[in-house]
Amino acid sequence: MSTNILTRVTLAKSASIPLASVPGATKDKALAAMAQALDSNREMIISANKKDLAAAEKLVEAGKLSKALVKRLKVDDVKIDEMIAGIRDVIKFEDLVGKTLSALELDSGLELYQVSCPIGLIGVIFESRPDVVPQIMALCLKSGNATIFKGGSEAANSNRTIFEVLVNAIESTDGMPQGAFALMETREEVNEMLKLDDYINLIIPRGSNEFVKYIQDNTRIPVLGHSAGICHVYIDSRADIKKAIDISYDAKVQYPAVCNAMETLLVHEDIAEYFLPQIGKKYNDAGVELRCDDRSFALLKDMGFIKAILHATEEDWRTEYNDLILSIKVVDSLDEGIDHINRYGSHHTDAIVTEDKRNAAKFIDLVDSSSVMWNASTRFSDGFRYGKGAEVGISTNKIHARGPVGMEGLLIYKYALLGSGHKVADYAGKNAKRYTHKKLNASLADKMGN
Amino acid sequence: MSTNILTRVTLAKSASIPLASVPGATKDKALAAMAQALDSNREMIISANKKDLAAAEKLVEAGKLSKALVKRLKVDDVKIDEMIAGIRDVIKFEDLVGKTLSALELDSGLELYQVSCPIGLIGVIFESRPDVVPQIMALCLKSGNATIFKGGSEAANSNRTIFEVLVNAIESTDGMPQGAFALMETREEVNEMLKLDDYINLIIPRGSNEFVKYIQDNTRIPVLGHSAGICHVYIDSRADIKKAIDISYDAKVQYPAVCNAMETLLVHEDIAEYFLPQIGKKYNDAGVELRCDDRSFALLKDMGFIKAILHATEEDWRTEYNDLILSIKVVDSLDEGIDHINRYGSHHTDAIVTEDKRNAAKFIDLVDSSSVMWNASTRFSDGFRYGKGAEVGISTNKIHARGPVGMEGLLIYKYALLGSGHKVADYAGKNAKRYTHKKLNASLADKMGN
């Protein structure tokens, strides 16, 4: 392990302790300074970004980088405006640190407070997209978490410049600890980061599925995120046909490159003959390529598809196309639809279209996914749309935070027990005192006079 | 991977889906049947346990097993009464599954519900103690989680008999799915379980620190628990001397073999000369052995200690004695005390004794532990004392659940979005509809007519 990395990670871990109790007003001042600093250093940031862009364009010419990646790499005045607006939004968020979540009297004068607090040290690993730095730094700062960043090498100049501008702004704000935010720059440093489970409490990866999977497979640190978004829409026999068409179209076509887009359309056999040709026509107009099971193939094959219409293989049910490609299967029953989703899906987001409330309730109960939609598009599964202000990620984990995760995913809690010399010996043996376990309407902050 | 294990784990995983939506009344019937079945099968259970005890006593004679372990292995009528009482307690717990945690209108007719649900499939791995099976099975059942158990080989007959009695009771209850609970019996099966991160969502280990550490080090499945309990009491310069003595004595002596007992006593230099000889006398009477830094050694060495009084080494600050042994250090300041705790502690439970509210507030803020006590013994850190009814474990994790964890640690949530054909395309581009993000006072259960 390079001592350089360990030194910076240890420093950030130490800084996480005072950072956890910096008052909300001070954090907001630091955030305002970050926004101001981005505004004052536009030229420097854009010129650093130009270096990355020039290098990236050479890689594109050499066929080593995609044009799409270069587009995401670009930082201009509009992007800087967005970064600034994003930070200003975070200032408006409520400070959740130190909030009393529950309070319980254990006995007279012995009071237990469950209080929200930061997780500690977060590792953020992302591919290109320099705008991730201000966004995540703002969220981590507001939630009181120290953070280690590692960005893609294509964006090295942009990331370093933005990072330094922001950290200078934070560290020159009165009352902010030094060293709470650090930047790693090489791939070796990522691999070393992934081993530091004694220091780093949570990893947030931002990038392709393969990238997230690699991180999940190579660390014992908890990873918040998802490595696949295989989302389904199930059209029930009792579906309203207009809703079925609207939702199936929106979920596939509105923006196919994202994790909450539909990859497999499941259709109840009773409605397939009526529904599939109608949605098929719309998919055809939108240039969607289809992978069909035998029954849907028979219903769609003669429609003169512009794009390919193929027979689906077992592999198709497990594939996230992230493109205008869709697999379709006709099922015998709601149960078969639910089983298919639980078996082949990624537990991300799945929808049912039906007018039957009992079928909807069954689907919501039995589909084991972070978001289940009834008569709504899978595309709604998103932190901004869910009212979280900013999104840390979408998690398919079954512990801690699930679904679209906002700042609440960066918080945990601690217990504070306040007594006046209470000892357990008095609550044991003969004449043991009894616990009262009486709910209190009180906050630790009030109690401590904070 | 043995197909036998994979078959049973797959079956339990499948059963976890229907189990997640079994109504509370049905789960309580199954729990009542479990309690009844233990009562009706006392003889069979005790006779199976006698086989284990006989084998264990031979191992004790051969020096391969400790007497304490044999004691914990024993199941008699009193133990069975306790198991039954434990299950009946769980019946009284509120059913938290399906509870609406938050509700938000995203737009007119588009409503988002965050609803609590089971985690899925839990793995419980424990050493001897057959009473773990009914206790954890009751909690998992009530929270709707399928469970794979693996007990110690010393208790194989007891575990198998108790398990079969309980599972028969559950599976003959109308409306309960089959196969949700499974028992593994060999060590090889544990190692295979630990690899099944695609199936098992959470591991709960019950046993020694080494045992928990082994499991944490050998699986990518999240582990709920702690592998060490290095708890501190810090006596501030402004401590009330009676409280200081009561708490330091209780935290070490009342029950030293447990994770929430104190291992290191930190004393502010201003009070050391006055306090240490007084508590030293009490420790001496209780037969506590001491490992002192130079300053505390100088204050205590001439008290004629019955047990050893040694110079502490660096290793002592990191040691969980779980015995009548204590390390003592005199510190210059509250800050040094806090730093020592964050550096050497296990982030489990730490206490400050002081009459100074500001010092207490600082300690509570800056000590990075799952429980922090002000003028109360570390020994209070426990699920029962914290009013949780039953304890799943004490977690030093920084995500999901921290501190003493009750049934809430076995739950996560899912999002249900209810619309009437809503599509994201209407909320994008020109004339985009706006989200209302209005808090709702509604529950999904009411909405779905459950």
Side-chain angles (χ1 to χ4, degrees):
Chain A
M1 176 94 27
S2 124
T3 52
N4 183 25
I5 292 177
L6 199 55
T7 305
R8 281 182 296 160
V9 170
T10 308
L11 182 62
K13 186 77 181 178
S14 304
S16 77
I17 300 290
L19 180 59
S21 56
V22 168
T26 306
K27 292 187 285 190
D28 288 345
K29 264 186 213 158
L31 287 164
M34 285 166 65
Q36 180 56 51
L38 286 180
D39 195 33
S40 324
N41 290 282
R42 286 170 184 268
E43 240 173 88
M44 187 165 74
I45 293 167
I46 291 170
S47 107
N49 183 248
K50 278 188 180 145
K51 284 189 213 162
D52 289 332
L53 285 174
E57 266 147 27
K58 278 190 192 148
L59 289 173
V60 172
E61 280 162 31
K64 286 179 181 164
L65 208 65
S66 76
K67 275 225 173 262
L69 233 139
V70 177
K71 201 177 149 196
R72 284 162 57 195
L73 183 57
K74 186 169 181 180
V75 177
D76 54 17
D77 267 313
V78 175
K79 275 272 178 71
I80 293 179
D81 287 343
E82 285 171 11
M83 294 178 193
I84 293 171
I87 295 173
R88 297 220 160 111
D89 277 346
V90 174
I91 295 178
K92 289 178 215 145
F93 293 175
E94 188 191 355
D95 184 13
L96 298 171
V97 177
K99 217 175 159 178
T100 296
L101 306 174
S102 70
L104 190 73
E105 184 196 85
L106 303 194
D107 192 5
S108 171
L110 186 64
E111 298 182 356
L112 181 69
Y113 294 86
Q114 184 192 24
V115 186
S116 126
C117 65
I119 288 177
L121 180 57
I122 312 283
V124 177
I125 309 178
F126 57 104
E127 296 183 307
S128 44
R129 295 202 73 144
D131 43 332
V132 167
V133 177
Q135 187 198 13
I136 299 273
M137 199 184 283
L139 284 168
C140 286
L141 191 155
K142 183 88 180 198
S143 59
N145 288 288
T147 315
I148 309 283
F149 293 89
K150 165 67 181 73
S153 55
E154 304 85 18
N157 287 294
S158 320
N159 288 336
R160 193 183 315 122
T161 306
I162 294 172
F163 179 83
E164 281 168 7
V165 163
L166 295 173
V167 166
N168 283 338
I170 293 171
E171 298 192 345
S172 34
T173 303
D174 256 2
M176 290 300 301
Q178 310 292 302
F181 299 93
L183 182 70
M184 305 286 163
E185 302 207 73
T186 69
R187 176 170 276 271
E188 295 68 51
E189 288 175 316
V190 176
N191 288 322
E192 299 201 4
M193 256 175 92
L194 296 179
K195 289 177 203 149
L196 295 175
D197 52 305
D198 281 343
Y199 297 84
I200 300 174
N201 303 109
L202 183 68
I203 297 263
I204 300 173
R206 287 281 190 107
S208 66
N209 294 346
E210 298 69 37
F211 176 77
V212 175
K213 186 96 182 70
Y214 173 81
I215 289 168
Q216 286 172 332
D217 287 348
N218 287 283
T219 187
R220 285 179 45 219
I221 305 169
V223 177
L224 194 151
H226 65 277
S227 60
I230 302 173
C231 302
H232 302 75
V233 175
Y234 163 73
I235 311 296
D236 191 39
S237 59
R238 306 224 25 220
D240 172 283
I241 199 77
K242 181 175 182 313
K243 291 176 191 167
I245 290 170
D246 278 355
I247 290 168
S248 314
Y249 188 81
D250 189 77
K252 181 74 258 179
V253 178
Q254 198 262 339
Y255 192 15
V258 285
C259 62
N260 57 17
M262 165 178 62
E263 305 298 353
T264 300
L265 176 65
L266 301 169
V267 185
H268 191 283
E269 58 175 358
D270 291 352
I271 204 171
E273 207 169 327
Y274 179 54
F275 167 70
L276 277 176
Q278 297 188 54
I279 189 71
K281 191 179 173 315
K282 293 204 62 169
Y283 285 149
N284 195 5
D285 294 345
V288 178
E289 182 181 322
L290 303 181
R291 315 280 169 94
C292 297
D293 76 325
D294 290 346
R295 289 197 277 180
S296 59
F297 190 84
L299 290 168
L300 293 166
K301 69 176 164 36
D302 298 326
M303 291 186 63
F305 259 76
I306 308 168
K307 294 280 173 165
I309 166 163
L310 308 171
H311 285 279
T313 63
E314 174 79 8
E315 201 45 37
D316 279 302
W317 313 127
R318 302 186 193 280
T319 301
E320 182 177 5
Y321 306 109
N322 272 337
D323 204 345
L324 286 176
I325 306 173
L326 176 73
S327 57
I328 305 183
K329 186 180 166 76
V330 174
V331 295
D332 294 343
S333 63
L334 170 59
D335 286 320
E336 191 191 338
I338 292 170
D339 286 348
H340 181 102
I341 292 170
N342 285 336
R343 182 165 172 199
Y344 294 105
S346 59
H347 311 289
H348 187 299
T349 302
D350 301 285
I352 181 172
V353 183
T354 187
E355 296 303 297
D356 186 313
K357 194 190 258 194
R358 285 179 62 186
N359 285 356
K362 187 174 186 182
F363 187 89
I364 291 170
D365 269 356
L366 298 184
V367 168
D368 183 21
S369 297
S370 71
S371 288
V372 279
M373 315 317 219
W374 176 23
N375 289 342
S377 170
T378 55
R379 292 273 298 108
F380 282 105
S381 170
D382 162 278
F384 171 69
R385 290 168 198 146
Y386 277 19
K388 293 184 180 287
E391 184 178 279
V392 170
I394 297 182
S395 163
T396 53
N397 298 352
K398 296 296 280 285
I399 62 161
H400 188 58
R402 193 181 188 201
V405 180
M407 215 170 58
E408 80 281 4
L410 301 178
L411 295 166
I412 184 70
Y413 53 81
K414 72 202 300 184
Y415 287 100
L417 182 66
L418 276 39
S420 54
H422 287 74
K423 48 193 203 288
V424 161
D426 293 334
Y427 298 82
K430 273 188 189 164
N431 303 318
K433 292 173 80 176
R434 300 282 297 263
Y435 294 98
T436 55
H437 290 155
K438 205 163 66 190
K439 233 175 161 171
L440 297 173
N441 267 321
S443 88
L444 183 69
D446 289 346
K447 192 83 188 182
M448 302 306 291
N450 286 358
Chain B
M1 177 91 32
S2 124
T3 52
N4 182 26
I5 291 177
L6 199 55
T7 305
R8 280 182 296 159
V9 171
T10 308
L11 181 63
K13 186 78 182 178
S14 305
S16 76
I17 300 289
L19 179 60
S21 56
V22 168
T26 307
K27 292 188 285 190
D28 288 345
K29 265 186 211 157
L31 288 164
M34 284 166 66
Q36 180 57 50
L38 287 180
D39 195 34
S40 323
N41 290 283
R42 287 171 184 265
E43 240 172 88
M44 189 167 72
I45 294 166
I46 291 169
S47 107
N49 182 248
K50 279 187 179 146
K51 284 190 213 162
D52 289 331
L53 285 174
E57 266 147 27
K58 278 190 191 148
L59 289 173
V60 173
E61 280 163 31
K64 287 179 182 163
L65 207 67
S66 76
K67 275 226 174 260
L69 233 139
V70 177
K71 202 178 149 195
R72 284 162 56 196
L73 183 58
K74 187 170 180 178
V75 177
D76 53 17
D77 267 310
V78 176
K79 275 270 178 73
I80 293 179
D81 288 344
E82 285 171 10
M83 294 178 193
I84 292 171
I87 295 173
R88 298 222 160 108
D89 278 345
V90 173
I91 295 178
K92 289 178 216 146
F93 293 175
E94 187 191 355
D95 184 12
L96 298 171
V97 177
K99 220 178 158 176
T100 296
L101 305 174
S102 70
L104 190 73
E105 184 197 84
L106 304 193
D107 192 6
S108 171
L110 186 64
E111 297 181 357
L112 181 69
Y113 294 86
Q114 185 192 25
V115 186
S116 125
C117 65
I119 287 177
L121 180 57
I122 312 283
V124 177
I125 309 179
F126 57 104
E127 295 183 307
S128 44
R129 294 202 74 146
D131 42 333
V132 168
V133 178
Q135 186 197 13
I136 298 274
M137 198 184 285
L139 285 168
C140 287
L141 191 154
K142 182 89 181 197
S143 59
N145 288 288
T147 316
I148 309 282
F149 293 88
K150 166 65 179 77
S153 55
E154 303 86 17
N157 287 293
S158 319
N159 289 335
R160 192 182 316 124
T161 306
I162 294 172
F163 179 83
E164 281 168 6
V165 163
L166 295 173
V167 167
N168 283 337
I170 293 172
E171 299 192 345
S172 35
T173 304
D174 256 4
M176 290 300 302
Q178 310 292 301
F181 300 93
L183 182 70
M184 304 286 163
E185 302 208 72
T186 68
R187 175 170 277 272
E188 294 69 52
E189 289 175 316
V190 176
N191 288 321
E192 299 202 4
M193 258 176 90
L194 296 180
K195 289 176 202 148
L196 295 174
D197 51 306
D198 282 342
Y199 297 84
I200 300 174
N201 303 109
L202 184 68
I203 298 263
I204 300 173
R206 287 281 190 107
S208 66
N209 294 346
E210 297 69 39
F211 176 76
V212 175
K213 186 97 183 68
Y214 174 82
I215 289 168
Q216 287 172 333
D217 287 348
N218 286 283
T219 187
R220 285 179 43 218
I221 305 170
V223 177
L224 194 152
H226 64 277
S227 60
I230 302 173
C231 302
H232 303 75
V233 175
Y234 164 72
I235 309 298
D236 190 41
S237 58
R238 305 223 28 220
D240 172 282
I241 199 76
K242 182 177 180 314
K243 291 176 190 165
I245 290 170
D246 277 355
I247 290 169
S248 315
Y249 188 81
D250 189 77
K252 181 74 259 179
V253 178
Q254 198 262 341
Y255 192 15
V258 286
C259 60
N260 56 17
M262 166 179 60
E263 305 300 352
T264 301
L265 176 65
L266 300 169
V267 184
H268 192 284
E269 58 175 358
D270 290 352
I271 203 171
E273 208 169 327
Y274 179 53
F275 167 70
L276 277 176
Q278 296 188 55
I279 189 71
K281 190 180 174 317
K282 293 204 63 171
Y283 284 150
N284 195 6
D285 294 344
V288 179
E289 181 181 322
L290 302 181
R291 315 278 170 96
C292 298
D293 76 325
D294 289 347
R295 290 197 276 180
S296 59
F297 190 85
L299 291 167
L300 292 166
K301 67 175 166 36
D302 298 326
M303 291 186 63
F305 259 75
I306 307 167
K307 294 279 173 165
I309 167 163
L310 308 171
H311 284 280
T313 64
E314 174 79 6
E315 201 44 36
D316 279 303
W317 312 128
R318 304 186 193 280
T319 301
E320 181 176 6
Y321 306 110
N322 272 336
D323 204 346
L324 285 177
I325 305 173
L326 177 72
S327 57
I328 304 183
K329 185 180 167 78
V330 174
V331 294
D332 293 344
S333 63
L334 171 58
D335 287 320
E336 191 190 338
I338 292 171
D339 287 347
H340 181 101
I341 292 170
N342 285 336
R343 181 164 174 203
Y344 295 105
S346 59
H347 311 288
H348 188 298
T349 302
D350 301 286
I352 181 172
V353 182
T354 187
E355 297 303 299
D356 185 314
K357 195 191 256 196
R358 287 179 60 186
N359 286 357
K362 186 173 186 182
F363 187 89
I364 291 171
D365 270 355
L366 297 185
V367 168
D368 183 22
S369 296
S370 70
S371 288
V372 279
M373 315 317 219
W374 176 23
N375 288 343
S377 170
T378 55
R379 291 273 298 109
F380 282 105
S381 172
D382 162 277
F384 171 70
R385 290 166 198 147
Y386 277 18
K388 293 183 180 287
E391 184 179 278
V392 170
I394 296 183
S395 163
T396 52
N397 298 352
K398 295 297 279 288
I399 63 162
H400 189 57
R402 193 180 188 203
V405 180
M407 215 169 60
E408 80 281 5
L410 301 178
L411 295 166
I412 184 71
Y413 53 82
K414 73 202 301 184
Y415 286 101
L417 181 66
L418 314 187
S420 54
H422 287 74
K423 48 193 203 287
V424 161
D426 293 335
Y427 297 82
K430 274 190 186 162
N431 304 317
K433 292 174 79 177
R434 301 282 298 261
Y435 294 99
T436 55
H437 289 154
K438 205 163 69 191
K439 232 175 163 174
L440 296 173
N441 267 321
S443 88
L444 183 70
D446 288 346
K447 191 85 187 179
M448 301 306 292
N450 287 359

